Amino acid sequence: MTSAGRSDTATDPGTPVVQLCAQGTRAETDGRADEARALFLRLCARADLEALSLLLPTCMGSLGTPEGEERVTAALRMLHTERRLPDPEQRALADAIRARAA
């Protein structure tokens, strides 16, 4: 709660953004997802809605097929190309892309 008695939406587990983040991290179930999961959690903590709006629909829509996984990787690459994330998150994004390509 903030000093005004409102909930902090960046960390309140009841907000739609945090719920979507949790669902998105659970959707990545294979062993290559650790880097992507950590990145999602950082984006959620910062409430980076622009980055999340690019990644979550793709990740949530992936059924684990090769085509779906390539769309997830493409979304990660698009966000990486924008170069608008802080350096630690930009590096984590690059790590996630490398891990998915391995």
Side-chain angles (χ1 to χ4, degrees):
M1 298 290 262
T2 64
S3 59
R6 295 179 309 226
S7 175
D8 180 358
T9 59
T11 57
D12 181 354
T15 62
V17 170
V18 175
Q19 289 175 355
L20 282 173
C21 289
Q23 291 170 5
T25 58
R26 284 192 299 269
E28 293 273 27
T29 58
D30 67 11
R32 300 173 306 169
D34 291 339
E35 293 87 358
R37 185 174 296 111
L39 177 62
F40 271 124
L41 292 174
R42 283 197 291 275
L43 294 174
C44 288
R46 248 191 34 244
D48 187 336
L49 299 181
E50 286 186 51
L52 290 168
S53 69
L54 177 65
L55 297 176
L56 284 175
T58 306
C59 292
M60 296 300 295
S62 177
L63 299 175
T65 63
E67 296 83 10
E69 292 303 302
E70 183 53 39
R71 282 191 291 274
V72 170
T73 303
L76 292 168
R77 286 184 178 135
M78 285 172 43
L79 184 57
H80 186 263
T81 300
E82 289 180 3
R83 303 254 188 246
R84 62 177 190 79
L85 298 177
D87 286 340
E89 290 173 6
Q90 194 69 26
R91 284 191 298 275
L93 189 54
D95 291 343
I97 294 166
R98 274 192 298 278
R100 294 184 69 79

